[in-house]
Amino acid sequence: MEHDFGLALLRTRFNDEGFPTKTSEEQEEVEERVRHLYQLFHLAMEVDPEEPKLDAQKHILFLRKYLRGLPSKYECLDASQPWLLYWICHSLTILREELTPKEKSEVAQYLALCQCPDGGFAGGPGQNAHLAPTYAAVLALCTVGTEEAYKVIDREKLAQFLRKVRLPSGSFVMNVDGEEDIRGAFCALIVARLINLSLSSDIFCNTAHWVSQCQTYEGGFGGKPGLEAHGGYTLCGFASLALLNAIHLCDINALLRWAVMRQMSFEGGFQGRTNKLFDGCYSFWVGGIFPLIQKFLSKKATNSILDEHWLFHSQALQECILICCQTSKGGFCDKPKVPADVYHTCNTLCGLSLAQYEPLSESAEYPIAQIHPFINLEVSRLRNALEYFYALPQVA
Amino acid sequence: MSAATEMDDKVSGLRDHSSTEDLSEESVLIRDCPEFRDVEPTPQFEGHAPVASIAYSESFKDAHDYLRSLLKMGELSERALKLTEIALNINAANYTTWKYRRDILRHLGTNTLEEYDYIKMMIPDNAKTYQVWHHCQKILEWIGEPMDILEFIEEVLKQDSKNYHAWQLRQWVLLHFKFSGTAEEIAFVSKMIEDDVRNNSAWNHRYFVIHTLSEFTDAVFSAEIDYTISKIKLATNNESAWNYLRGTLAQKGQGLTHTEVEKLTELLYSRGCRSPQVLMFMADKLREDCEKADASDDIGEKVRLCSELYEVLANKWDKIRCRYWTYLSQEFSAEFGSRIGSNEKTEVAS
């Protein structure tokens, strides 16, 4: 491809075709904010051709500050404390920043307090077990990656918890008496895969079939059969099928079309649903779908593009993350003019890592680590965790 | 700035802070309530150095320290119910508190209609929180009838017409209470699409009503195609409408072939419309024709046109997806490239 500085020739503004609606007005408003940033970026690039840059040090400071303590606006995530630890630790790992042995131990001990006596992890000490914090806690512990951390997980009891939240249909509720949706199957499967629970056990009977029913006429997956296709749920659904060796149950060409269409023509980032606004967090949810689709398609494809490039525009996504989502005070945000938070920091960094580790990329431009696309652990942490848990006897 | 004025600023800053806190609390702390005098509060952190710990406000800590104690004792009482309400006002995303609240309600046999009013009051301020919607669903299950929930959801959708949870509960209500009035639901969703033809949630709901709640007859099929075509004419690059069209055609099992749809794309293209959605549909249709053709059919012209469309999508009209169009084009050429007329072969971009 010819070099298009700042992708000015590529970007296309939204066209309301003389028929404005609420959707088009909101879209144009966001594009205006983004346009302003890209303009500033062009000016900056004239001075410093290295732009746009990842300010890793600033993000590390931001994350380290939050590892010590979070401001009170995070009260609403009191029932998601393992998530907070996962987002922070995983982000630091992507930025190649090692936790101290003391910090590792403290994270492991805190997550041990979140583990429930009857199995599974809760959103905080004294709360009930729930699949989302269970997923987050196991991933955080694998990210910490010490024997102390691995040993926190009571695998037998975790399997018992999974049996309590599975439904005969093959889907899962998130907690006892809680809501049912596709996140449940995904969280259960990822955790089971990591800590060596048998994926062919009764726990996942019918799960592949139930998940495949969540694929919509648009090609993406919804939270439940009938619901609108959505970036987060699509990664959950497709990854679940992959873990169950059941990709053949979905229409992969429709999925690919839906996924490529999520990239915004002007912003370069991904939206989560058709005709919605872009949000930095979908850099991971939607970006993470591609490696898996391409791996599957390349088995039967006749051309090599699948083994060389992502089918989304990698440079456009990276510029969007660095120019529109990176904040000057450290951390990343959903879209311009919104404050940074640890969730968006983690998911944009994951997206950045995915985009940079394009199959044929010569060397990483930025000092960031590679992640596994849908298990979402840094690759060496994943390898170590699998080595540890697969040396133990499998839990049926 | 003098020391005195600096101090003033700090004090007034504090005052501002405390006055907003007072407003949000609206009640005294639990530890000052005589009703809870016999309860020993349970702090969250016991003997461990907390990492990434949240700077909880006084009222948050107070309510949750007492809640933990009652939960541990398993107390199912009126005062516990009251306490859950205070805690949920501070954090509506705490699923443990909601589950506890339902346990208390079951035990006390409290009036579920009152609880229905309560949850309707809670939803608007927490419209993106899973737990409030789930609680609402549970309460409707208990009541055993839909009450005025469809009207209520309509109100919520007026604030945010793409609220995922609201549409999700709507689908659940329609299925759970076996709604037969699909005409009314179609009228509702048509109005939503009327308000914003790009509202994909509304299109998805339409698909749900047509394919899950009603019988998909030939008449319905034709009516839906006509409806969608009329909407595409308003905004030719509206992906929501095109996806709906594809979905509807797929349900019929005849691929993308349809006389009216073909007329539409021909009309739009001849008038100079180059919306990526239009070109994309045309390319997919040509490809499908080639795939369906017999080995002896002359598909040279179709192959040439399809390749051309991929080429202009990649390099002109939809550049952000250039890799995708190139991939499709290469796959297509590998399969059908040899069936193009030999004299035209050189013109086709690979």
Side-chain angles (χ1 to χ4, degrees):
Chain A
M1 253 182 290
E2 74 202 277
H3 200 79
D4 175 10
F5 284 101
L7 303 176
L9 303 173
L10 173 123
R11 299 183 197 285
T12 313
R13 290 290 293 260
F14 183 85
N15 175 1
D16 74 4
E17 304 183 62
F19 196 80
T21 61
K22 192 157 185 257
T23 296
S24 65
E25 282 162 6
E26 288 173 354
Q27 174 61 26
E28 281 164 356
E29 194 265 323
V30 168
E31 282 187 13
E32 214 26 57
R33 280 193 256 168
V34 168
R35 185 191 61 82
H36 179 69
L37 288 173
Y38 283 142
Q39 222 168 26
L40 290 177
F41 158 66
H42 280 282
L43 294 175
M45 213 170 51
E46 281 169 20
V47 185
D48 182 359
E50 299 276 287
E51 288 284 346
K53 281 184 282 201
L54 174 75
D55 200 338
Q57 276 315 311
K58 218 181 265 175
H59 303 310
I60 291 169
L61 282 176
F62 169 85
L63 290 159
R64 283 208 161 278
K65 184 176 88 189
Y66 278 17
L67 184 62
R68 286 191 296 275
L70 294 155
S72 59
K73 71 167 186 177
Y74 281 83
E75 269 180 352
C76 60
L77 290 168
D78 173 62
S80 302
Q81 294 177 50
W83 279 110
L84 296 169
L85 288 173
Y86 167 61
W87 291 327
I88 294 171
C89 295
H90 188 41
S91 297
L92 285 168
T93 308
I94 294 174
L95 293 167
R96 299 193 195 281
E97 174 75 1
E98 193 68 29
L99 296 183
T100 66
K102 182 166 170 282
E103 284 168 334
K104 288 181 185 177
S105 182
E106 281 173 359
V107 171
Q109 285 174 39
Y110 194 74
L111 288 168
L113 289 181
C114 297
Q115 190 165 224
C116 298
D118 293 337
F121 290 80
Q127 300 178 23
N128 298 343
H130 187 290
L131 276 171
T134 296
Y135 164 90
V138 170
L139 263 72
L141 289 164
C142 291
T143 299
V144 166
T146 56
E147 198 170 342
E148 182 192 17
Y150 296 145
K151 279 189 168 156
V152 166
I153 305 165
D154 187 332
R155 297 154 68 228
E156 296 284 344
K157 282 199 172 152
L158 207 156
Q160 285 171 23
F161 169 61
L162 296 185
R163 287 199 166 84
K164 262 186 262 176
V165 284
R166 86 171 292 274
L167 301 174
S169 63
S171 79
F172 288 76
V173 289
M174 298 305 288
N175 57 310
V176 174
D177 202 29
E179 71 275 12
E180 171 201 6
D181 62 56
I182 203 167
R183 291 172 304 152
F186 170 74
C187 292
L189 278 162
I190 294 279
V191 166
R193 171 77 180 90
L194 277 171
I195 64 169
N196 194 12
L197 305 185
S198 167
L199 296 189
S200 54
S201 82
D202 56 304
I203 298 176
F204 298 110
C205 178
N206 296 331
T207 301
H209 175 71
W210 185 86
V211 167
S212 70
Q213 286 183 313
C214 296
Q215 188 175 27
T216 85
Y217 66 92
E218 292 196 90
F221 290 67
K224 279 165 90 167
L227 297 180
E228 185 182 2
H230 178 287
Y233 296 136
T234 301
L235 182 101
C236 288
F238 190 51
S240 297
L241 292 182
L243 287 167
L244 292 165
N245 285 319
I247 287 182
H248 59 278
L249 293 182
C250 79
D251 180 344
I252 196 158
N253 292 316
L255 173 66
L256 174 60
R257 181 163 49 83
W258 180 86
V260 293
M261 288 307 299
R262 303 285 61 77
Q263 189 163 26
M264 308 300 276
S265 301
F266 185 73
E267 305 90 308
F270 290 113
Q271 62 186 178
R273 300 185 244 162
T274 304
N275 278 330
K276 289 269 287 176
L277 303 172
F278 103 89
D279 178 331
C281 76
Y282 295 113
S283 308
F284 168 68
W285 295 120
V286 180
I289 301 167
F290 285 89
L292 199 52
I293 295 184
Q294 292 188 213
K295 193 173 153 199
F296 188 79
L297 286 177
S298 75
K299 283 182 204 155
K300 44 185 186 172
T302 45
N303 71 67
S304 57
I305 191 170
L306 293 169
D307 306 318
E308 293 166 2
H309 299 286
W310 297 136
L311 294 183
F312 63 87
H313 202 296
S314 172
Q315 191 192 340
L317 176 66
Q318 292 182 53
E319 290 198 353
C320 181
I321 292 171
L322 292 173
I323 298 165
C324 302
C325 302
Q326 182 170 227
T327 71
S328 57
K329 290 180 184 158
F332 292 78
C333 59
D334 153 352
K335 53 177 68 64
K337 288 192 181 170
V338 174
D341 63 75
V342 286
Y343 164 66
H344 286 91
T345 300
C346 180
N347 272 34
T348 49
L349 282 172
C350 292
L352 195 61
S353 167
L354 286 168
Q356 287 184 4
Y357 286 90
E358 206 165 3
L360 264 200
S361 63
E362 285 148 28
S363 65
E365 252 177 275
Y366 304 107
I368 69 171
Q370 187 177 11
I371 60 163
H372 182 279
F374 63 91
I375 297 182
N376 207 1
L377 282 174
E378 187 272 322
V379 287
S380 73
R381 307 300 159 103
L382 174 60
R383 205 168 42 237
N384 294 344
L386 293 177
E387 243 166 54
Y388 177 85
F389 289 111
Y390 282 74
L392 304 174
Q394 187 173 66
V395 179
Chain B
M1 188 190 287
S2 74
T5 52
E6 202 183 318
M7 202 54 149
D8 280 352
D9 280 353
K10 276 188 185 158
V11 172
S12 68
L14 276 175
R15 258 194 227 116
D16 282 353
H17 185 63
S18 60
S19 66
T20 52
E21 261 204 351
D22 282 348
L23 275 178
S24 65
E25 274 173 41
E26 281 174 7
S27 61
V28 285
L29 297 174
I30 305 298
R31 62 170 179 251
D32 299 326
C33 293
E35 217 184 329
F36 289 91
R37 200 173 292 152
D38 60 309
V39 183
E40 194 59 42
T42 310
Q44 178 164 235
F45 311 115
E46 284 160 308
H48 276 276
V51 275
S53 66
I54 301 163
Y56 297 104
S57 63
E58 260 322 288
S59 55
F60 190 105
K61 247 189 283 187
D62 174 69
H64 289 85
D65 287 358
Y66 280 87
L67 192 73
R68 262 187 289 274
S69 303
L70 294 194
L71 253 170
K72 233 178 2 189
M73 299 187 293
E75 179 177 311
L76 305 173
S77 63
E78 283 292 346
R79 70 171 181 181
L81 188 68
K82 217 181 285 172
L83 184 56
T84 61
E85 192 173 323
I86 292 167
L88 291 167
N89 254 334
I90 304 173
N91 181 18
N94 190 321
Y95 57 91
T96 305
T97 317
W98 283 110
K99 156 90 165 58
Y100 183 37
R101 185 174 175 88
R102 285 192 289 276
D103 289 343
I104 299 167
L105 289 168
R106 280 188 202 101
H107 181 78
L108 298 178
T110 314
N111 185 346
T112 45
L113 297 181
E114 263 174 43
E115 189 65 10
Y116 176 63
D117 287 336
Y118 163 73
I119 192 62
K120 280 199 298 181
M121 190 195 70
M122 287 294 282
I123 285 175
D125 286 340
N126 301 285
K128 290 200 170 170
T129 305
Y130 281 89
Q131 287 75 22
V132 291
W133 292 96
H134 179 62
H135 189 71
C136 185
Q137 181 181 318
K138 283 276 168 188
I139 298 307
L140 287 167
E141 239 176 77
W142 290 1
I143 296 174
E145 50 176 301
M147 308 294 291
D148 62 352
I149 192 65
L150 292 184
E151 290 87 344
F152 174 76
I153 291 172
E154 203 174 330
E155 284 304 309
V156 175
L157 290 173
K158 276 182 190 155
Q159 300 303 310
D160 175 8
S161 62
K162 299 174 183 176
N163 183 308
Y164 204 89
H165 302 288
W167 288 106
Q168 178 167 349
L169 184 65
R170 196 168 185 97
Q171 285 196 5
W172 179 86
V173 169
L174 295 169
L175 284 176
H176 185 81
F177 296 108
K178 302 187 172 60
F179 265 76
S180 51
T182 51
E184 279 165 46
E185 196 60 13
I186 286 292
F188 159 74
V189 83
S190 297
K191 197 186 149 288
M192 294 295 291
I193 293 173
E194 198 71 33
D195 289 345
D196 184 349
V197 76
R198 298 181 179 92
N199 182 348
N200 197 60
S201 304
W203 282 99
N204 184 77
H205 191 69
R206 187 176 189 95
Y207 193 87
F208 167 80
V209 176
I210 294 286
H211 297 286
T212 309
L213 296 186
S214 24
E215 208 191 329
F216 189 55
T217 61
D218 285 349
V220 172
F221 171 71
S222 301
E224 287 307 294
I225 296 290
D226 290 349
Y227 175 84
T228 312
I229 287 175
S230 72
K231 297 301 170 198
I232 287 175
K233 284 179 178 165
L234 299 175
T236 62
N237 201 34
N238 178 12
E239 190 190 347
S240 298
W242 281 104
N243 284 351
Y244 186 82
L245 186 72
R246 284 168 184 267
T248 305
L249 289 170
Q251 280 291 324
K252 205 69 188 154
Q254 290 164 1
L256 301 176
T257 306
H258 191 280
T259 324
E260 293 305 314
V261 176
E262 206 151 331
K263 269 193 226 159
L264 172 74
T265 51
E266 271 169 21
L267 174 80
L268 293 173
Y269 192 84
S270 67
R271 285 188 183 169
C273 170
R274 294 295 178 270
S275 292
Q277 286 295 328
V278 177
L279 304 182
M280 206 184 294
F281 188 91
M282 289 170 68
D284 284 350
K285 167 78 171 74
L286 287 164
R287 183 190 195 114
E288 190 184 280
D289 288 349
C290 295
E291 279 162 359
K292 280 184 185 164
D294 290 328
S296 57
D297 290 345
D298 177 13
I299 55 167
E301 181 61 10
K302 289 191 170 180
V303 174
R304 192 183 61 76
L305 271 172
C306 185
S307 299
E308 246 177 49
L309 285 169
Y310 285 142
E311 211 270 328
V312 292
L313 277 163
N315 298 316
K316 189 162 184 190
W317 301 108
D318 196 32
K319 287 190 268 188
I320 193 96
R321 273 166 278 282
C322 53
R323 298 262 193 239
Y324 174 65
W325 298 122
T326 307
Y327 160 70
L328 287 189
S329 171
Q330 288 180 7
E331 287 290 294
F332 180 73
S333 296
E335 203 178 341
F336 299 104
S338 62
R339 292 177 68 178
I340 205 161
S342 55
N343 53 338
E344 289 153 318
K345 207 167 190 167
T346 46
E347 283 175 34
V348 181
S350 62

